Amino acid sequence: GDSVTQMEGPVTLSEEAFLTINCTYTATGYPSLFWYVQYPGEGLQLLLKATKADDKGSNKGFEATYRKETTSFHLEKGSVQVSDSAVYFCALRTGGFKTIFGAGTRLFVKA
Amino acid sequence: NAGVMQNPRHLVRRRGQEARLRCSPMKGHSHVYWYRQLPEEGLKFMVYLQKENIIDESGMPKERFSAEFPKEGPSILRIQQVVRGDSAAYFCASSPLPKVDMLNTEAFFGQGTRLTVV
């Protein structure tokens, strides 16, 4: 079945460091790919998405490119801030209404 | 426009009791999705409901769990005779009527209900 695998956390970075959170997927169809963020004590918020190969999703300085050849959707940010500390979830949908989530990666950013 | 509202935020139940989790979708949204997040895991789909209809319940445990979304009022996820393994965060999401291209229909999530079974 469809699945999402993302790097285990926690990831601890200093402020202004470069961030990469790896995400790979397995899907039988042509999925849309998403990154969600969960701040402490809150629900999930959609961070960015890409709906077809080579699309780049971007928001708040975060970017991810849909790579069909490597079935990946890695999340990157050039300079993280303390306020970026959260749990990040990679997810996919293949045309239905069910979203398949990865296990989440916790990010800590130190001042 | 208020977001998806879930209550209670935290719920403690003893083994064998019933848990009722409520979800009020965003205004204008007629579709509700329930997910469960076990500790240190991602969200797992449980059930998808439209007003008065269950569309897909393939992720629901076969026993003790049920969900409804009545014509009036919030969606309810009900867990009967809770066990310690039911302890988790339960998230609700809502969306408007999905477009023809469902991939571009965004679902908005609530803050979740954290159920603890003692």
Side-chain angles (χ1 to χ4, degrees):
Chain A
D2 298 346
S3 65
V4 175
T5 303
Q6 58 183 107
M7 64 188 288
E8 288 190 24
V11 173
T12 302
L13 297 173
S14 297
E15 212 166 18
E16 298 183 3
F18 184 86
L19 168 72
T20 299
I21 300 178
N22 290 337
C23 170
T24 57
Y25 67 90
T26 302
T28 52
Y30 297 94
S32 281
L33 302 173
F34 305 83
W35 277 100
Y36 284 86
V37 58
Q38 184 179 27
Y39 296 104
E42 298 187 14
L44 275 70
Q45 300 175 28
L46 179 63
L47 180 60
L48 55 84
K49 68 179 182 181
T51 57
K52 60 183 187 297
D54 300 325
D55 268 2
K56 178 186 284 188
S58 61
N59 185 25
K60 300 181 181 179
F62 291 89
E63 292 183 341
T65 301
Y66 190 141
R67 301 286 188 203
K68 188 178 177 184
E69 63 276 13
T70 54
T71 61
S72 65
F73 192 54
H74 305 320
L75 182 68
E76 296 182 335
K77 186 174 186 182
S79 176
V80 293
Q81 305 300 314
V82 172
S83 57
D84 293 326
S85 297
V87 181
Y88 293 82
F89 292 93
C90 185
L92 69 82
R93 288 170 67 187
T94 54
F97 39 79
K98 284 188 269 192
T99 303
I100 309 296
F101 288 87
T105 302
R106 187 175 298 275
L107 170 67
F108 292 106
V109 180
K110 303 179 296 183
Chain B
N1 187 10
V4 178
M5 303 300 293
Q6 290 188 247
N7 68 82
R9 292 289 306 279
H10 300 275
L11 181 61
V12 179
R13 284 288 177 266
R14 295 187 183 279
R15 280 179 297 169
Q17 290 185 318
E18 178 180 285
R20 281 181 176 248
L21 289 62
R22 293 175 185 77
C23 170
S24 296
M26 287 181 69
K27 187 176 181 180
H29 285 189
S30 55
H31 295 252
V32 164
Y33 316 80
W34 285 94
Y35 290 81
R36 175 165 63 175
Q37 183 181 27
L38 294 170
E40 304 304 319
E41 294 188 17
L43 280 71
K44 305 293 186 190
F45 169 80
M46 298 181 74
V47 63
Y48 165 38
L49 308 108
Q50 192 181 350
K51 285 281 188 181
E52 300 184 282
N53 285 306
I54 296 175
I55 307 299
D56 184 321
E57 56 181 349
S58 59
M60 288 277 273
K62 293 291 185 282
E63 297 178 348
R64 302 187 297 108
F65 285 71
S66 62
E68 62 177 11
F69 188 18
K71 187 176 180 181
E72 301 291 339
S75 175
I76 306 288
L77 179 67
R78 182 182 177 206
I79 311 172
Q80 295 178 291
Q81 299 175 331
V82 295
V83 300
R84 288 226 170 100
D86 297 332
S87 296
Y90 292 83
F91 288 94
C92 169
S94 74
S95 76
L97 179 67
K99 301 171 186 174
V100 173
D101 175 9
M102 297 188 81
L103 296 175
N104 282 310
T105 301
E106 184 177 341
F108 295 83
F109 283 81
Q111 293 182 305
T113 294
R114 278 160 178 79
L115 171 66
T116 303
V117 179
V118 297

